[in-house]
Amino acid sequence: MAMSSRHGLPTAESHRSRRRARPRPRVAGGAIGTLALSTVLAPTSALASTGSLPVVGEASEAPDATPTSVPVIDLDSTGLYRAAEATARTAQDLETDAASQEADRAAREEAAAFKKAEEKRKAEEARKAAAERAAEAAASRSSGRADLATASSPGTGSGVIGFLRAQLGKAYVMGATGPGAYDCSGLVQAAYRTVGVNLPRTSQAQSSAVTPVPLGSLQPGDLIFWGGQGSAYHVAVYVGGGKYIDAANPSKGVVEQNLNDWPPDFAGRV
């Protein structure tokens, strides 16, 4: 060290030389330097406590200090707040959709239950109506049998057999129901109408409307058929004594005939 004082004291020049020779701390440039500078400048507590920013060059000489507060992060500036808000809206929309779907499901189940109950009610009404019709038909058949007993009595001149005897000699005309001409089923229908029994129009239908009886157990007023039950092609009325009356054909008209001359296939009782 150069000494320019007489007393061996360092001069001003020597002080300047030593300052130039003292190594100064360096701060890296670019992104690393910026990050280091931001780290030093970030804590607001240092500015609040000292009133001035710390010197960068003397950072290594400053005592370590622990920040007294956590930096506040602005959520809105980072987009986190908006993302949370959007998530909340999505969750609310999903909840609303789920509630709507549950309401629709409940409505469909209620409609299905109502439809099932309605179908059950209608089926029960139909069953009751069928039972009532069957009871009425049974009552009508019972009444018809009582009337047939009167109609079969000789010399009464009324009822089924009396009506049939009054039609003897009239013409046979296909589809005719009287009073001047008849076909086979038209004559039978007209005869039973006189005692309040309504039979179907055709021989096929009439053969399905009776209760089958053995040919050996015939009673006056029973119907006799040619063909099968439900498919009969001719019908007549047994009048007793082995005879029947029918509208036979165009050449015979309404006649009384012997049962043995053309035996029927089966018989039925109204």
Side-chain angles (χ1 to χ4, degrees):
M1 178 182 299
M3 306 290 290
S4 59
S5 168
R6 272 186 314 182
H7 303 288
L9 296 175
T11 64
E13 180 63 28
S14 64
H15 280 293
R16 283 194 295 270
S17 298
R18 281 189 297 213
R19 275 201 303 269
R20 283 195 299 269
R22 181 187 300 171
R24 299 180 61 86
R26 296 178 177 272
V27 177
I32 297 177
T34 303
L35 180 60
L37 181 60
S38 299
T39 303
V40 174
L41 297 178
T44 56
S45 58
L47 178 60
S49 59
T50 62
S52 62
L53 293 174
V55 179
V56 175
E58 298 176 356
S60 58
E61 300 176 0
D64 293 337
T66 302
T68 59
S69 63
V70 178
V72 177
I73 300 175
D74 187 355
L75 293 178
D76 189 57
S77 65
T78 61
L80 296 177
Y81 178 80
R82 288 191 296 274
E85 187 177 30
T87 302
R89 283 197 302 269
T90 301
Q92 185 176 6
D93 292 342
L94 291 174
E95 183 178 354
T96 302
D97 290 343
S100 177
Q101 291 174 3
E102 179 64 20
D104 290 343
R105 184 189 64 78
R108 287 194 299 270
E109 289 181 352
E110 183 178 357
F114 177 80
K115 182 179 179 181
K116 185 176 181 180
E118 187 68 10
E119 290 175 351
K120 183 177 180 181
R121 181 186 65 80
K122 290 181 179 179
E124 183 65 19
E125 290 180 353
R127 186 190 65 78
K128 290 181 179 179
E132 291 175 357
R133 287 194 298 270
E136 291 174 358
S140 177
R141 285 195 295 271
S142 298
S143 177
R145 290 191 185 99
D147 290 334
L148 285 175
T150 301
S152 301
S153 299
T156 60
S158 63
V160 171
I161 295 178
F163 176 84
L164 290 171
R165 294 193 184 282
Q167 310 309 309
L168 291 173
K170 290 186 177 182
Y172 175 98
V173 176
M174 178 67 72
T177 58
Y182 300 91
D183 65 6
C184 64
S185 57
L187 177 63
V188 171
Q189 185 186 48
Y192 273 87
R193 190 182 293 120
T194 63
V195 295
V197 177
N198 293 318
L199 288 176
R201 172 63 186 84
T202 66
S203 59
Q204 292 89 349
Q206 290 172 1
S207 67
S208 296
V210 297
T211 301
V213 295
L215 289 172
S217 302
L218 285 175
Q219 296 179 6
D222 287 346
L223 302 187
I224 54 178
F225 297 92
W226 287 260
Q229 187 172 13
S231 60
Y233 59 86
H234 190 70
V235 60
V237 179
Y238 182 71
V239 295
K243 295 178 182 278
Y244 64 90
I245 293 176
D246 68 336
N249 52 53
S251 62
K252 289 184 177 181
V254 179
V255 293
E256 184 175 352
Q257 305 190 79
N258 291 319
L259 194 64
N260 292 332
D261 292 342
W262 189 28
D265 294 308
F266 74 97
R269 190 164 294 160
V270 177

